[in-house]
Amino acid sequence: MLRRLADQFEKSSSVHVAANGIERDADWFLLKLQEEMGELTQAWNRLTGRGRAKGRSAEDMQRDLADETADVLGHLLLFARRNDIDLAAAIERKWLFQPGADVGN
């Protein structure tokens, strides 16, 4: 499940970087993840009144938060994919559940 999602992000990212002449070396994946965390933090600060709203409505700010969260997820999956990290196995080890398994009531 996570591998397939990471592959989908990779396909989209590959198109974007090729169109913009961006070279993704080993550091790029971590640096881009850090950049996206900064953007998520900015969106959170705006939404919670800790940053300038810059004319954005509450609805816009909520959408920005969702968009930046999606970026963080995507870049985290790209980082894991690039570094051959088995996230499903790591989640099972650290969080004690299997991703994609049905959650009992």
Side-chain angles (χ1 to χ4, degrees), residues 72-84:
V72 168
L73 175 62
H75 284 285
L76 180 60
L77 290 171
L78 289 171
F79 176 82
R81 186 179 188 279
R82 168 67 180 229
N83 290 287
D84 296 320

Side-chain angles (χ1 to χ4, degrees), residues 11 17 36 43 48 71 81 83-84:
K11 183 177 178 182
V17 298
E36 295 302 338
T48 60
D71 284 348
R81 186 179 188 279
N83 290 287
D84 296 320

Side-chain angles (χ1 to χ4, degrees), residues 8-95:
Q8 290 172 305
F9 276 105
E10 173 59 31
K11 183 177 178 182
S12 181
S13 179
S14 293
V15 169
H16 173 77
V17 298
N20 291 285
I22 298 168
E23 181 183 337
R24 299 186 304 171
D25 61 11
D27 291 340
W28 182 89
F29 291 88
L30 184 58
L31 294 172
K32 189 64 177 173
L33 177 58
Q34 183 65 41
E35 176 187 336
E36 295 302 338
M37 277 300 304
E39 291 175 8
L40 177 60
T41 302
Q42 282 183 322
W44 177 253
N45 284 343
R46 274 194 302 274
L47 183 66
T48 60
R50 295 181 184 103
R52 294 176 299 154
K54 297 182 179 181
R56 311 279 292 156
S57 70
E59 183 179 284
D60 289 340
M61 290 188 287
Q62 185 66 43
R63 187 178 61 242
D64 292 344
L65 184 67
D67 290 352
E68 296 306 334
T69 302
D71 284 348
V72 168
L73 175 62
H75 284 285
L76 180 60
L77 290 171
L78 289 171
F79 176 82
R81 186 179 188 279
R82 168 67 180 229
N83 290 287
D84 296 320
I85 295 170
D86 183 343
L87 279 177
I91 290 168
E92 191 170 345
R93 257 191 330 273
K94 294 289 292 183
W95 289 82

